[in-house]
Amino acid sequence: MKLGNLCQLLKENPYPGRGIVMGRTADGKKAVAAYFIMGRSENSRNRVFENTEDGIRTKAFDESKMTDPSLIIYHPVRLLENGLLVVTNGDQTDTIQENITQGHCYRHALNTRAFEPDGPNFTPRISGVMKPDGSYNLSILKSLDGDPRCCCRYFFEYDSPIPGTGHFIHTYQGDGDPLPSFQGEPRLVDIHSLGARETAAELAGQLWDSLNEENKVSLYVRTTDIESGFSESVIYNKHR
């Protein structure tokens, strides 16, 4: 698979929807996780990321303008007690957390879920689980070419991330009506190209500037030193 420039991929796509990036800094010392949301409707754009004790949640920026909280208000990021970092684009974050707490795995959890019931888009559910050693799993649950009668579940596992690279998965191929679901494997991307220092702040700044100005809503970036476990995180919200 050809190594892609993450910033360039984002600049060329006005509406990738929601996206997850997981990878490793060029020196191999830090694990990187990022999640962003975009929106076309006023309801989707009326959101911000907010820190919680174990990660982040989405919330309405202006409560008076929130018309339907289903599918857009959830906990995208949760850090579990066993050190697993769970990142998703919906309330399957909680499904994964509950199943892992009960001794199951993320696959077991996601086999109980399907794509979002928002026809005709049937938005895919994308999820990532990062382990303390920096290895990670990505998955996508999607309809069969837009047919809601069949849910296709794909799982991708990366046990030895290559320094300076990562994988990028998102909900939509691009803009459209209905919105076309993501196709193929997660994109292999160059993490090193995001910045020489590779701090959470620098990575977040590069990503935020690459997202479509009209459609971007919020971004979260976290870096974790694999040896010490020390982490840094940054949030960008269009509504400040």
Side-chain angles (χ1 to χ4, degrees):
M1 183 180 294
K2 182 180 179 181
L3 184 66
N5 183 300
L6 179 55
C7 290
Q8 193 61 35
L9 289 173
L10 292 173
K11 290 175 181 178
E12 293 172 352
N13 189 343
Y15 201 68
R18 286 165 276 176
I20 297 173
V21 181
M22 288 189 168
R24 189 76 61 90
T25 55
D27 60 10
K29 295 181 179 181
K30 295 178 183 177
V32 177
Y35 177 65
F36 66 80
I37 60 175
M38 307 183 83
R40 299 190 302 178
S41 68
E42 181 180 19
N43 197 45
S44 292
R45 292 176 175 178
N46 179 35
R47 289 183 291 171
V48 293
F49 284 167
E50 180 180 75
N51 283 309
T52 64
E53 290 185 358
D54 63 350
I56 62 170
R57 69 171 182 171
T58 61
K59 64 172 294 186
F61 174 69
D62 185 341
E63 296 285 353
S64 67
K65 294 182 179 180
M66 178 60 66
T67 58
D68 181 8
S70 64
L71 302 179
I72 64 172
I73 300 300
Y74 55 92
H75 289 256
V77 179
R78 287 191 184 276
L79 180 63
L80 309 190
E81 291 183 358
N82 60 3
L84 293 179
L85 183 72
V86 181
V87 184
T88 88
N89 71 326
D91 63 9
Q92 71 267 28
T93 310
D94 299 333
T95 305
I96 294 173
Q97 179 190 40
E98 291 164 5
N99 275 261
I100 289 177
T101 300
Q102 295 167 6
H104 302 300
C105 68
Y106 85 104
R107 281 182 177 239
H108 184 278
L110 292 173
N111 278 327
T112 70
R113 303 302 302 268
F115 47 83
E116 295 182 355
D118 62 340
N121 296 318
F122 302 112
T123 298
R125 290 190 186 272
I126 55 174
S127 305
V129 177
M130 178 170 281
K131 302 171 186 176
D133 66 0
S135 60
Y136 52 88
N137 308 323
L138 293 170
S139 70
I140 184 168
L141 315 180
K142 53 187 288 189
S143 65
L144 180 61
D145 293 326
D147 190 331
R149 292 176 296 179
C150 179
C151 179
C152 306
R153 297 179 177 88
Y154 301 94
F155 301 93
F156 308 91
E157 303 185 354
Y158 307 94
D159 61 0
S160 298
I162 305 300
T165 70
H167 288 87
F168 173 38
I169 192 168
H170 47 99
T171 52
Y172 308 126
Q173 286 290 96
D175 209 345
D177 191 16
L179 288 160
S181 293
F182 178 88
Q183 298 290 326
E185 295 183 25
R187 311 289 190 250
L188 178 65
V189 293
D190 184 2
I191 297 294
H192 182 258
S193 67
L194 294 178
R197 290 173 296 173
E198 295 175 318
T199 64
E202 187 176 29
L203 298 175
Q206 294 277 355
L207 289 177
W208 185 250
D209 290 342
S210 301
L211 292 168
N212 180 270
E213 182 63 31
E214 182 178 1
N215 295 322
K216 65 184 178 183
V217 175
S218 296
L219 168 70
Y220 170 87
V221 174
R222 176 188 177 98
T223 60
T224 304
D225 186 279
I226 297 170
E227 183 175 348
S228 69
F230 176 76
S231 65
E232 295 179 296
S233 60
V234 175
I235 288 176
Y236 275 77
N237 289 310
K238 192 167 186 179
H239 295 296
R240 300 185 184 277

